[in-house]
Amino acid sequence: KYLPAWLLIASHYNLQKNIEKSRKYYLKAAEEGLAKGYIDLGISYAGDVSLPSSQFKKDLKTLPQEDIDQAIGYFTLAGEAKY
């Protein structure tokens, strides 16, 4: 399996601001059993919610509900995978 590689590829695309491609590889890692992929997918939609609210990368008040729902879904999957 190439789990860590999927996350590295996703991070590479994320740094290039190619969010769609990064999400593709985060999902690939998650679907192959690396729950961190789900966490990173959620972060790609809602920002890093583990940081204090003043440090969010994205303002949850201005995010589309669809993005919030996507993030919740991926964070839930990560939780179900015991991450």
Side-chain angles (χ1 to χ4, degrees), residues 63-81:
L63 284 179
Q65 187 62 46
E66 181 180 329
D67 285 0
I68 293 170
D69 292 343
Q70 286 279 16
I72 290 169
Y74 288 125
F75 292 144
T76 299
L77 288 170
E80 289 170 356

Side-chain angles (χ1 to χ4, degrees), residues 22-75:
S22 70
R23 287 177 178 163
K24 173 185 172 182
Y25 288 99
Y26 287 137
L27 184 59
K28 198 177 261 286
E31 288 176 339
E32 290 194 22
L34 194 59
K36 183 166 180 358
Y38 288 131
I39 294 290
D40 291 339
L41 276 165
I43 288 171
S44 78
Y45 284 96
D48 192 342
V49 297
S50 69
L51 298 174
S53 61
S54 64
Q55 295 179 348
F56 273 13
K57 293 180 187 173
K58 297 184 180 186
D59 183 356
L60 294 178
K61 295 176 195 168
T62 62
L63 284 179
Q65 187 62 46
E66 181 180 329
D67 285 0
I68 293 170
D69 292 343
Q70 286 279 16
I72 290 169
Y74 288 125
F75 292 144

Side-chain angles (χ1 to χ4, degrees), residues 2-15 25-26 29 34:
Y2 304 100
L3 303 180
W6 297 139
L7 290 178
L8 289 172
I9 293 168
S11 294
H12 169 76
Y13 283 120
N14 194 40
L15 289 172
Y25 288 99
Y26 287 137
L34 194 59

